[in-house]
Amino acid sequence: MVKQIHRLSARAVETAGKAGLVADGGGLYLSVSKSGAKSWRYIFQFSGKRKEMGLGKYPAVSLQNARIKAQDAREMVSSGCNPITERKRQLVQDQARQTTFKSFIDEWLPEIQSEFQNAKHSKQWDMTLNHYAMPLHALPIDGVTTDHVLGVLKPIWAEKPETASRLRGRIERALDAAKARGLRSGENPAAWRGHLQTLLPKPKKLSRGHQPAMPYENIPEFMAQLRTLGSVSALGLEWLILSGSRSNEVMGAVWSEIDEVTGIWTLPANRMKSGREHQVPLVSRHFEILEKVRLLKGEGDYLFPGQRRGRPLSGMAFLMLMRRMNVGHYVPHGFRSSFRDWTGDETDFSRDVAEMAIAHKVGNSVEIAYRRRKAIEKRRELLCQWEVYLSS
């Protein structure tokens, strides 16, 4: 026996006032709340279970439109498809079409800020995805293809291999996040293994960028010149060379990190590129520098205060100082390489001690913890010899 449908009239819908469900037939119901608000429901059986699907509020959805929606849902059920699941899928697809790569990363990047080591790390992510990946910005997030990814990577793959490699990884991460949210499906077009590795040259065959390093034979003369200046930036750069540190580590150094009793500068994990705490043994010249900057100490806790009150030196201070000193194309970061070359060429210290001195990872976590305890005095001895050499 065929169930009667289209039982209701427009007038009956308009005047219905008793709370409850009013059947139109074929699973379509008008739901009337105690407050008098009305909405449409489609009730059906799927996989042996009762399901209920909302079709919209009355009068925004008229009786005629509700019947059309109910008929579409009935046809899905007849074909073995759950209309509720299908509607959710369609909503996700619609959202994906409306979500561009740019709008997605603008929403997603702030959500992963906590994993970045520092503000510089955060800016690097923002710059690569917003500058180099600009050709992807207007594309729907579910429409980014391998060709699109290659289009942003190929122009810089040979010229800027490190940047290109990081860009690829960040695009892959963003697209994986979009997939996890249901905005994409299928394989990741930015994946390296088994995919882009077959279409691009292997990274090890690319010429890696480097920081121009002053030959260690020239550094003692440079240090003598540097010590005649006496400025905060000159003292900071000298500290950097003596300790084999990075510019941002020195510029962000604060008095609370210095233990003058044990002679150790302890850099917390959140200031280190490796994400691990690093200890630097101090040598005699470090203490002389401390006495000099103590006289310059202004507001705030920074060892090397900048011109702005309560702020450290500018991020370009060391580089600009070297430019003013007319030392050619060398950069502050290159002194780490100079120190490493000197250690290998002129001393008998082991590779592990030299690598740990410049905060490079050596071994697994257990070995690192053991060597940190055992090697601190060896590293102090190494830096003492480096100090003597720099003063020669």
Side-chain angles (χ1 to χ4, degrees):
M1 183 176 182
V2 179
K3 292 183 179 180
Q4 184 181 356
I5 63 173
H6 299 179
R7 300 176 187 173
L8 296 174
S9 66
R11 178 64 178 167
V13 172
E14 183 180 355
T15 58
K18 185 179 179 180
L21 294 175
V22 183
D24 183 58
L28 177 62
Y29 291 84
L30 177 69
S31 173
V32 184
S33 69
K34 291 181 180 180
S35 66
K38 302 171 185 178
S39 60
W40 297 104
R41 304 279 180 178
Y42 174 59
I43 300 175
F44 61 101
Q45 292 285 325
F46 193 83
S47 297
K49 295 182 180 179
R50 182 180 184 274
K51 304 288 184 180
E52 187 170 329
M53 177 182 180
L55 299 180
K57 295 181 179 180
Y58 174 85
V61 176
S62 66
L63 173 60
Q64 181 180 1
N65 288 338
R67 287 170 173 169
I68 293 173
K69 290 185 176 184
Q71 179 60 31
D72 290 342
R74 280 193 292 270
E75 290 176 0
M76 290 184 194
V77 174
S78 297
S79 65
C81 179
N82 185 335
I84 298 176
T85 303
E86 178 60 24
R87 183 168 66 179
K88 289 179 179 178
R89 187 188 67 80
Q90 189 61 48
L91 286 173
V92 170
Q93 286 185 345
D94 291 343
Q95 183 184 1
R97 283 192 289 269
Q98 296 169 9
T99 303
T100 63
F101 183 85
K102 171 65 173 172
S103 63
F104 179 79
I105 62 173
D106 284 347
E107 177 186 348
W108 171 66
L109 280 178
E111 295 176 357
I112 62 170
Q113 285 290 321
S114 60
E115 72 180 61
F116 298 140
Q117 297 170 355
N118 48 49
K120 181 180 178 181
H121 190 198
S122 175
K123 287 181 180 178
Q124 288 173 341
W125 271 73
D126 185 75
M127 189 274 289
T128 50
L129 289 175
N130 278 296
H131 176 65
Y132 290 108
M134 190 176 293
L136 305 180
H137 284 186
L139 297 172
I141 193 68
D142 67 339
V144 179
T145 67
T146 299
D147 286 341
H148 293 136
V149 175
L150 288 173
V152 299
L153 293 179
K154 282 184 175 180
I156 61 171
W157 192 255
E159 180 184 354
K160 300 178 179 180
E162 188 171 351
T163 299
S165 180
R166 289 176 178 175
L167 173 62
R168 184 210 61 76
R170 289 164 186 172
I171 293 174
E172 180 183 17
R173 171 89 183 271
L175 296 180
D176 275 344
K179 182 178 181 179
R181 294 187 183 182
L183 298 177
R184 283 186 60 87
S185 60
E187 299 299 321
N188 193 319
W192 177 254
R193 188 180 300 276
H195 187 54
L196 291 184
Q197 70 176 166
T198 66
L199 302 173
L200 291 167
K202 294 180 180 179
K204 65 181 180 180
K205 293 185 177 180
L206 303 175
S207 57
R208 291 180 57 85
H210 69 283
Q211 302 284 359
M214 182 181 294
Y216 64 79
E217 297 88 349
N218 298 351
I219 301 181
E221 182 179 354
F222 173 75
M223 288 288 274
Q225 183 184 359
L226 189 62
R227 289 174 181 174
T228 64
L229 302 179
S231 65
V232 176
S233 56
L235 292 170
L237 182 56
E238 187 179 353
W239 183 284
L240 175 147
I241 298 170
L242 284 164
S243 55
S245 301
R246 299 177 177 89
S247 294
N248 65 302
E249 295 166 3
V250 176
M251 290 172 175
V254 292
W255 285 94
S256 55
E257 294 173 354
I258 305 296
D259 187 333
E260 296 186 63
V261 176
T262 60
I264 292 177
W265 171 32
T266 302
L267 290 89
N270 62 4
R271 291 217 307 112
M272 295 299 299
K273 182 178 181 180
S274 64
R276 300 187 306 272
E277 180 186 279
H278 179 59
Q279 292 183 316
V280 179
L282 302 180
V283 297
S284 299
R285 181 57 184 170
H286 280 129
F287 286 97
E288 293 174 7
I289 293 174
L290 287 176
E291 290 306 310
K292 291 178 182 293
V293 295
R294 202 187 308 273
L295 299 175
L296 301 171
K297 190 176 185 299
E299 294 183 4
D301 197 28
Y302 292 106
L303 256 67
F304 304 102
Q307 294 183 348
R308 294 176 59 187
R309 297 175 63 180
R311 299 293 298 166
L313 285 170
S314 159
M316 296 291 288
F318 295 158
L319 180 61
M320 292 299 99
L321 173 62
M322 293 178 68
R323 293 292 177 264
R324 290 194 298 272
M325 293 175 70
N326 220 9
V327 294
H329 64 293
Y330 306 124
V331 298
H333 194 81
F335 288 113
R336 287 166 53 82
S337 296
S338 305
F339 168 72
R340 188 64 185 83
D341 291 343
W342 171 84
T343 303
D345 294 347
E346 306 292 339
T347 77
D348 294 325
F349 287 93
S350 70
R351 173 188 175 277
D352 286 2
V353 171
E355 290 294 294
M356 291 183 71
I358 56 176
H360 281 173
K361 183 177 180 180
V362 178
N364 59 37
S365 58
V366 175
E367 292 173 320
I368 290 170
Y370 176 76
R371 286 171 173 162
R372 183 184 296 123
R373 292 192 297 270
K374 299 291 290 184
I376 190 73
E377 293 308 318
K378 288 185 178 180
R379 288 192 285 122
R380 191 188 302 277
E381 184 181 348
L382 171 59
L383 292 182
C384 283
Q385 289 192 24
W386 176 236
E387 176 192 25
V388 170
Y389 172 75
L390 295 175
S391 301
S392 63

